[in-house]
Structure formats: structure tokens, C-alpha cells
Amino acid sequence: MEKKVIVVTGGSSGIGLQTIGQLSANDNNQIISFSRSEEKIQKAKKVLGNKENVNYFMGDVTNEDDCRKFAEYVEKNYGKIHGLLNNAGVLTKGGMEMIDYETWKYNLNINLNGVYLFTRSLLPLLKKAQGASIVNVSSVAAMKPGSSIAYSVSKAGLDMLTEFLAGDLAPYKIRVNSVNPALVRTPIHMDNKIFENKEEYEELLRNAVERYPLKRIGEPEDIANLIEFLLSDKSSWITGSIMKIDGGAMINNDLIPPKDIE
Ligand SMILES: NC(=O)c1ccc[n+]([C@@H]2O[C@H](COP(=O)([O-])OP(=O)(O)OC[C@H]3O[C@@H](n4cnc5c(N)ncnc54)[C@H](OP(=O)(O)O)[C@@H]3O)[C@@H](O)[C@H]2O)c1
């Protein structure tokens, strides 16, 4: 049986790492993780254990040379790509007056331009699979302004890229969908210095629970389960979908009648 080759950007941490853990449980999947820091890759290897069906490639999704070299590496070793998870992302908090232009460009560059460049570099290999699936990791911040202007705008752009590519690539039987999580417990918030310290972060997580009708925030596994489905043939009639996954957070609670009204 032909192995299913799946590329995951940002596979060294959080949602990407969890997804690789789940996908690699199936020996028929061959996963290649693409991210920047060697240190995070080493940590990921410890978490996952030395699995034969997971390989790591060090690179930056915004760097044309890295993307070209990665495409050459995959072509030489695997020949084609059946699944692509564009998951790498960064988050810098603040509105227009809080962030400078460099910060704006940093977010837009990784979260939006990086997805465009990386996907474009791998397109010939995705076409070869004759039925590939691309999943972009966006956010509910694309749908309502959140705490970061650059992040929200980058993810809103990403959602349009998802819809556009779904039509653009359908003739090659390539499906393109997006998962849009609300708050998920991962290193992204501390690594990107969104909070002063761990206590402030833990307090936000405790308070956040109240805003979620299901009374909990997301765990990486919640998101990985949806991604697994979208990468699999079980979702073969789904393309161009923007799927929020948020424990009900985006429901307008004001419209739900109070419990004591019959
Ligand atoms: N956690 C949440 O609450 C939440 C909510 C909604 C959406 N999301 C989205 O989910 C995705 C994953 O986030 P996460 O929470 O799992 O974050 P995370 O734990 O910080 O993981 C981010 C991953 O992306 C990689 N990365 C960042 N910039 C990169 C670049 N330029 N090139 C290649 N790899 C890069 C990081 O590794 P290196 O730094 O080593 O490159 C890391 O492996 C992101 O797109 C994020 O916006 C997260």
C-alpha cells in the first residue's frame, strides 16, 4: 500500500506537535515536520519518541530558499504530497498604536505570506497525489477583532486564501479547508510574550472558561481531531470550508434566552 505523505508546518509545538503525534500512530502515514528552531525540534523528538515515520526539516515558511530546498527534498525522497497542514503561526498582541510596522509585517509575513509561499512551492507535488488535502490553521480572530490587529488581519486574509485556493485547485482534485480555533492551551501565548508571566497567563485561562458555553478552553487534541478528519478521505466532499472550533464561544450569548424563561 502506498504511504500517505503529510507535511506539517510548525510541527515542533502545540497544535502541530499534537497532530503529528496522532497522525504518526498510523504506520501508513509518513509525516514531515517543517519549522525553524533546532531546540524546539529536539524537544518535539523527545515528546514523540524516535518514530520512523516522522522526519524533521529545519526552515522558515517565509524564506524562498528554504521552501525551494524543502520541495526538492520531498520530491527526491517521497515524490508527492497527499496532505499539507499549514499550521505555523505567530501572535503579537496590540492595536494600531501598540505595535510598530515591523511587528505588523512579521505577523502578516508568517501567518499569511508564508502559507502562500510554502503552498506554492509544494504545488507540483500536491498535484501529483491526485486528491491531496490542504488544511490551513486560522483562528476565530479572523471573524471578530481579537486582541491583535496584525494577527486578526493575517488570519482574515488566510481565510480568503483558503476559499480562493479551494476553487483554484479543485481542477487538480486538491481540497483546501480551514480550521479556526478559539483559545487553545499551547506555548504560543508565552513564547510570543503575550503575558508578563505564567501566573498572568494561568489567570486568563481560568477566567476565559466562563466565555465558553461548553465551560472549557480548547486542548490541542480537539483541533488535531478535526485536522485529521479534513486530511482524510472521510472529508472527500468538503472543500472551501472555514470551520470554527471554539466550544461555542462565537455564539452570541445575548440571543440565548435565560434558563428560567419557558
Ligand atoms: N493556541 C491558540 O490559542 C490558537 C488559537 C487559534 C489559532 N491558533 C493557530 O494555531 C497554529 C498553531 O499554533 P500553536 O498555538 O500550536 O502555537 P505554537 O505552540 O507556538 O506553535 C507554533 C509552531 O509554528 C512554528 N513556526 C512559527 N513561525 C514559523 C515560521 N516562520 N516557519 C516555520 N515554522 C514556524 C513554531 O516553531 P519555530 O518557532 O521553531 O519555527 C512552532 O512549531 C497557529 O497558526 C496559530 O495562529 C492557535
Side-chain angles (χ1 to χ4, degrees), residues 205-223:
L205 294 185
R206 277 194 300 278
N207 295 338
V209 167
E210 284 313 309
R211 294 203 308 272
Y212 291 78
L214 291 180
K215 294 289 177 257
R216 69 172 177 90
I217 62 160
E219 298 296 335
E221 187 182 352
D222 295 312
I223 316 306

Side-chain angles (χ1 to χ4, degrees), residues 238-252:
I238 303 179
T239 196
S241 287
I242 309 291
M243 299 191 181
K244 61 186 162 76
I245 167 161
D246 66 348
M250 295 289 278
I251 296 168
N252 183 349

Side-chain angles (χ1 to χ4, degrees), residues 21 37 39-40 72 136 138 172 202 212 215 224 228 247:
S37 118
E39 194 189 333
K40 285 189 204 172
E72 285 167 6
N136 295 329
S138 179
Y172 308 112
E202 290 299 333
Y212 291 78
K215 294 289 177 257
E228 262 199 281

Side-chain angles (χ1 to χ4, degrees), residues 88-90 106-115 151 154-155 158:
V90 290
Y106 178 69
N107 280 259
L108 269 284
N109 219 15
I110 295 178
N111 297 352
L112 179 57
N113 296 342
V115 177
Y151 185 76
S154 69
K155 295 295 190 182
L158 179 58

Side-chain angles (χ1 to χ4, degrees), residues 16-261:
L17 179 60
Q18 174 67 32
T19 307
I20 291 179
Q22 294 183 205
L23 290 170
S24 62
N26 180 346
D27 288 338
N28 201 42
N29 289 334
Q30 173 62 54
I31 296 110
I32 313 152
S33 174
F34 180 100
S35 60
R36 296 171 301 180
S37 118
E38 170 71 25
E39 194 189 333
K40 285 189 204 172
I41 291 174
Q42 290 311 327
K43 275 193 197 164
K45 281 185 180 171
K46 277 197 186 136
V47 174
L48 293 171
N50 263 338
K51 294 199 173 173
E52 276 184 14
N53 61 343
V54 183
N55 283 335
Y56 301 85
F57 193 100
M58 224 165 73
D60 186 328
V61 290
T62 67
N63 182 307
E64 282 187 63
D65 217 33
D66 288 356
C67 292
R68 185 182 46 76
K69 281 184 188 148
F70 181 67
E72 285 167 6
Y73 160 82
V74 178
E75 165 127 57
K76 187 165 170 242
N77 291 285
Y78 305 102
K80 60 179 90 158
I81 296 173
H82 302 88
L84 167 60
L85 177 63
N86 285 313
N87 162 76
V90 290
L91 165 64
T92 313
K93 84 170 171 192
M96 186 178 258
E97 290 177 305
M98 249 181 96
I99 61 161
D100 56 22
Y101 187 42
E102 285 309 310
T103 309
W104 167 267
K105 284 190 286 189
Y106 178 69
N107 280 259
L108 269 284
N109 219 15
I110 295 178
N111 297 352
L112 179 57
N113 296 342
V115 177
Y116 181 84
L117 175 63
F118 196 73
T119 306
R120 197 171 192 278
S121 310
L122 300 181
L123 196 51
L125 297 170
L126 288 156
K127 282 184 189 175
K128 278 193 192 169
Q130 296 182 339
S133 169
I134 300 174
V135 179
N136 295 329
V137 183
S138 179
S139 167
V140 290
M143 300 160 173
K144 270 187 186 174
S147 57
S148 163
I149 187 170
Y151 185 76
S152 279
V153 172
S154 69
K155 295 295 190 182
L158 179 58
D159 285 355
M160 180 46 71
L161 182 63
T162 296
E163 291 188 318
F164 197 102
L165 285 182
D168 212 12
L169 305 184
Y172 308 112
K173 302 274 175 281
I174 299 174
R175 299 183 294 110
V176 190
N177 292 291
S178 161
V179 300
N180 295 50
L183 184 61
V184 183
R185 190 193 310 270
T186 73
I188 198 171
H189 307 100
M190 291 306 291
D191 283 2
N192 289 274
K193 301 186 175 48
I194 299 294
F195 298 96
E196 295 287 318
N197 51 53
K198 192 100 182 119
E199 288 69 43
E200 199 187 307
Y201 178 50
E202 290 299 333
E203 192 184 333
L204 168 110
L205 294 185
R206 277 194 300 278
N207 295 338
V209 167
E210 284 313 309
R211 294 203 308 272
Y212 291 78
L214 291 180
K215 294 289 177 257
R216 69 172 177 90
I217 62 160
E219 298 296 335
E221 187 182 352
D222 295 312
I223 316 306
N225 289 340
L226 179 56
I227 292 168
E228 262 199 281
F229 168 69
L230 289 172
L231 287 175
S232 80
D233 293 342
K234 288 186 179 169
S235 58
S236 61
W237 206 49
I238 303 179
T239 196
S241 287
I242 309 291
M243 299 191 181
K244 61 186 162 76
I245 167 161
D246 66 348
M250 295 289 278
I251 296 168
N252 183 349
N253 281 320
D254 297 343
L255 297 178
I256 298 176
K259 283 194 183 70
D260 55 354
I261 294 179

